[in-house]
Amino acid sequence: MRDAAAVSRRRFLQSVGVSGGAGALFATMGALGLAPAHATAPDFQAPRPSDFHLTGRGAKKVVVLGGGIAGLATAYELGKAGYDCTILEARGVTGGRNFTVRRGTTQTDLDGHTQRAGYSPGVYLNAGPARIAQWMVTLDYCRELGVPIQPFVNANADALIHNEANGAPVRYRTAKADIYGYVSELLAKATDQGALDTRLTPGDKARLLSFLEGFGSIGPAHTYTGGSRRGFTSYPGAGNDEGTPLPGPPGLSDVLASNVGRYFSFEFGYDQAMMMFQPVGGMDRIPAALTEAIGRHRVHLGSEVLTVSNRAHDVTVTYRRGGRTRSITADFCIAALPPHLMARIPHNLGADVTAALGSFPATASGKIGLEYRSRWWETDLRIYGGITETDLDLAHVWYPSHDFHARRGLIVGYYNTGAAARTYGALTPAERTARAVAQGVKIHGEKYRSELTTAFSVAWHRTPYLEGAWTSPPWGSAAYNRLLEPSGRVYFAGDWLSHEVAWQHGAFVSARSVVTALHQRVLS
Ligand code: FAD
Ligand code: PHE
C-alpha cells in the first residue's frame, strides 16, 4: 500500500508539474508536506492609536509585574497604542532570566554568596539565553529594535565529545564518521542480504544503498574502513604531502561502546539546528533596547511586588521600593512573574489561581563563565565556537562565537541542569570554579587551569526573584488553561504560558497573546 501511495503521489506531482509549471508544483508539494513551508510566527497585529478612532474609548492604564522579556514586550506593544504602562521589576536591571554578566556585574544569591564580575572589557557571559533560532520571533524584535545579531555556533565538527570512560576526547567529525559509517554498513548489508525485502522494492533498495554509500562513506563493498572524514593528525599539505589520517577507525563494538552517538540528535532539533544567532555584545541588548523603547521612566527597578487586589473597576498592586511600601492602581494588571513566585504573592484572585500557579515545577540549571588570558582553544585546538559535549557533571562546554582571534575570551565551563546543577549550586562560587576547572582539565589539560583569570557563575534556582531556570507546564490541564484566561482584570504572561518554554520566543508570543486579548477587551 505504501509503495502504491508513493508511486501515485509521484505521478500526481509529475502531472501537476507538466500542467502548472514549477510554481504550481512547489505549492502542491508544500501542501503535501514535501517542500519548505513559509515559516512565520503566529499572527499578531500590534495595537495602534487609530484603533480607538470612532470607538469613543481610549488607552488604559496598565501595571506590569516583572520586567523580563514577557513584561517588557507587553509594555512595548501596548505602548504603541498609547497605553500608560508601568513596570514593577524587583531586580536592579530589566531582562529577568535574560541576564548578561560583564565587568562589574554584581549578584548575591539566595545563600548569601556575592559575586562581582572581574571580566575584561568586552568579555561577557550570557548566563541565561544565549542562542536564537532563525524562525523565532525574537529575531523580529532584534530587527525592529535595531539590535545587531551575529551567528551563534551551535554545532562544530571540530568541537569535542568527552565521555569519561573513553579517556581522551574525540572530535565530533571523527565520532560522526565512525557512527554514520558503521550504521550505514549494517543497514547496507542487511539490505544486500534481503533482510528488508518486505519493506523495499528493488528500486528502493538501489536508492537506499546509494544514499548509504555516501552517508557512511562505505564504498561499493559496503564496509566501513574509515577515511579522511575522520580527520587528520597532520592535514594535507603541499606537493606530495597527502597528510596523515587519524589512526583508526576502532571496531564496531568499540565505537558503539564509546557511546559518542548519544549527542548527535541535539542538532536535529527544530529549535537547535544551525544557523543560530546571538545579539552582538550580549543577549541583554534585547531587554536594554525594549527598556529604552518603552521609556525608562515607566520601569521601576528595585520594586518588589507584595500584593495584588483585583476589584470591579481597577486593580491595586502594593510593592516595596527603597524600603518603603507603595501602591499603584491601574485599569489592568499583567503578571509576568515566574509562576512559582506569583503563587506566593497574596492576592484575591481565588484559590484555584494559586493552585494553578503552583502546578508549574521549577527546573534547576547553572552556568559558569571562565575567562582565559589566551584563546588556546582557537590557537592550539583550532576550535572556533561550538560546544563540547561531556558525560561529566559539566554537561556542555561552550566556546565563544564572537571576537575570534581576540586576546582573551570566555568559555562556558558548564551548562548543566537537574542534579548536576543542584550540586554546583550548593557550592560557594570559588568551589564551583575549582570543581569546574578540575573537570575541564580532564578534557583540555592543564591550560584549562593555568590560563584562567577569573570566573562568575549563576545557579538559576538559587537566584532571587527567579528561583528556577524554566518549567514543564501542565499543558492541556485545567490549571494551565485557567491561567490563559484573565482573572478579573489580571492577566498572566511568560514563556511558561506557551509551547516554547525555555525560549524567549515563548515569552514574546505569550506577551503578544495577552496584548491582543486585553486590547480587544478595551475596544469592545
Ligand atoms: P522571566 O525572565 O523569569 O521574568 C520574570 C521577571 O519577574 C524577572 O525579571 C524577575 O526579576 C521579576 N520578578 C520576580 N518576582 C518579582 C516580584 N515579586 N516583584 C517584581 N518583579 C519580580 N531563551 C532563548 O531564547 N535562547 C536561549 O538560548 C535560552 N537559554 C536559556 C538558558 C538558561 C540557563 C535559562 C535560565 C533560560 C534560557 N532561555 C533561553 C529562556 C529565556 O531566558 C526565557 O524564556 C525568557 O527570558 C523568559 O522571560 P519571562 O519574561 O517569561 O520570565
Ligand atoms: N533554550 C535553552 C537553551 O537553548 C534550554 C533548552 C535546551 C531548550 C535544550 C531546549 C533544548 O539552552
Side-chain angles (χ1 to χ4, degrees), residues 128-131 266 271-272 276 367 398 415 470 501-504:
R131 47 192 164 198
F266 174 73
D271 51 353
Q272 297 288 3
M276 295 195 78
K367 279 191 196 176
W398 291 15
Y415 174 17
W470 50 77
V501 183
W503 292 105
Q504 296 171 92

Side-chain angles (χ1 to χ4, degrees), residues 242-264:
E242 295 177 2
T244 314
L246 280 180
L252 166 64
S253 251
D254 289 337
V255 168
L256 291 176
S258 73
N259 207 9
V260 290
R262 63 186 273 205
Y263 304 106
F264 298 173

Side-chain angles (χ1 to χ4, degrees), residues 223-259:
T223 299
Y224 177 63
T225 56
S228 64
R229 245 181 221 193
R230 303 184 74 247
F232 291 79
T233 51
S234 164
Y235 276 84
N240 290 318
D241 180 3
E242 295 177 2
T244 314
L246 280 180
L252 166 64
S253 251
D254 289 337
V255 168
L256 291 176
S258 73
N259 207 9

Side-chain angles (χ1 to χ4, degrees), residues 60 63 309-315 330-334 349 486-491 518 521:
K60 299 286 185 180
V63 57
S309 311
N310 176 65
R311 284 187 298 266
H313 301 290
D314 57 24
V315 187
D331 297 303
F332 295 100
C333 170
I334 292 161
L349 307 176
S487 290
R489 295 180 163 265
V490 179
Y491 293 73
L518 193 155
R521 178 166 166 184

Side-chain angles (χ1 to χ4, degrees), residues 130-134 151-161 171-173 176 180 263-269 271-278 382-389 396-401 404 503:
R131 47 192 164 198
I132 309 171
Q134 292 163 81
F152 175 88
V153 182
N154 207 33
N156 181 353
D158 281 290
L160 309 174
I161 293 175
R171 298 236 190 219
Y172 249 98
R173 76 165 82 261
K176 281 186 173 174
Y180 293 176
Y263 304 106
F264 298 173
S265 59
F266 174 73
E267 65 189 87
F268 299 162
D271 51 353
Q272 297 288 3
M274 285 295 279
M275 287 295 292
M276 295 195 78
F277 289 88
Q278 63 180 11
R382 315 293 287 209
I383 297 176
Y384 287 76
I387 300 172
T388 280
E389 297 294 354
H396 319 283
V397 174
W398 291 15
Y399 310 94
S401 292
F404 298 117
W503 292 105

